[in-house]
Amino acid sequence: MSQTPRPRPAVIPEQAVESLLQDTTPWLSCEECFERMDTYAEAALHDPQHRDEAMTAHLRGCSACEEEAQSLIDLLEGQ
Ligand SMILES: [Zn+2]
C-alpha cells in the first residue's frame, strides 16, 4: 500500500488562515499605486461605478498609500 501525500495539512494553523484573509500579496506596488492615485481619487468622488480592485486591495493593506489617497480625496473634495 502506497502512501499518497495529503494535498494539504489536516489542520490549518490559525495564523496561516489570518494571513490568507489579509491581503498580503498586493497586486500593486506602492509606486504603481501612486501612479494611479489621481484617477482613483477622482473616481472615488465622481464615479461611484468605478471599481479598481487592485487599488482597493493595496490601500487596504498599505496604510501609507491609504493615507495618501485619503488626503488626496479630501483635497479634491475641498475644491
Ligand atoms: Zn502602498
Side-chain angles (χ1 to χ4, degrees):
M1 215 161 104
S2 69
Q3 293 256 328
T4 39
R6 288 166 184 267
R8 61 183 106 97
V11 176
I12 302 171
E14 205 174 311
Q15 227 180 347
V17 176
E18 235 166 87
S19 67
L20 280 175
L21 292 176
Q22 281 184 354
D23 207 338
T24 50
T25 52
W27 302 325
L28 294 176
S29 67
C30 287
E31 206 178 319
E32 287 168 316
C33 182
F34 272 110
E35 273 170 24
R36 53 210 281 182
M37 202 167 274
D38 285 358
T39 315
Y40 177 84
E42 287 276 349
L45 290 172
H46 305 300
D47 186 2
Q49 301 301 311
H50 181 85
R51 288 279 178 280
D52 192 336
E53 290 196 22
M55 272 299 271
T56 311
H58 183 89
L59 295 181
R60 212 187 301 136
C62 180
S63 57
C65 290
E66 207 278 326
E67 260 175 53
E68 191 66 29
Q70 194 52 56
S71 61
L72 186 61
I73 289 170
D74 290 346
L75 190 79
L76 290 172
E77 219 168 15
Q79 277 175 355

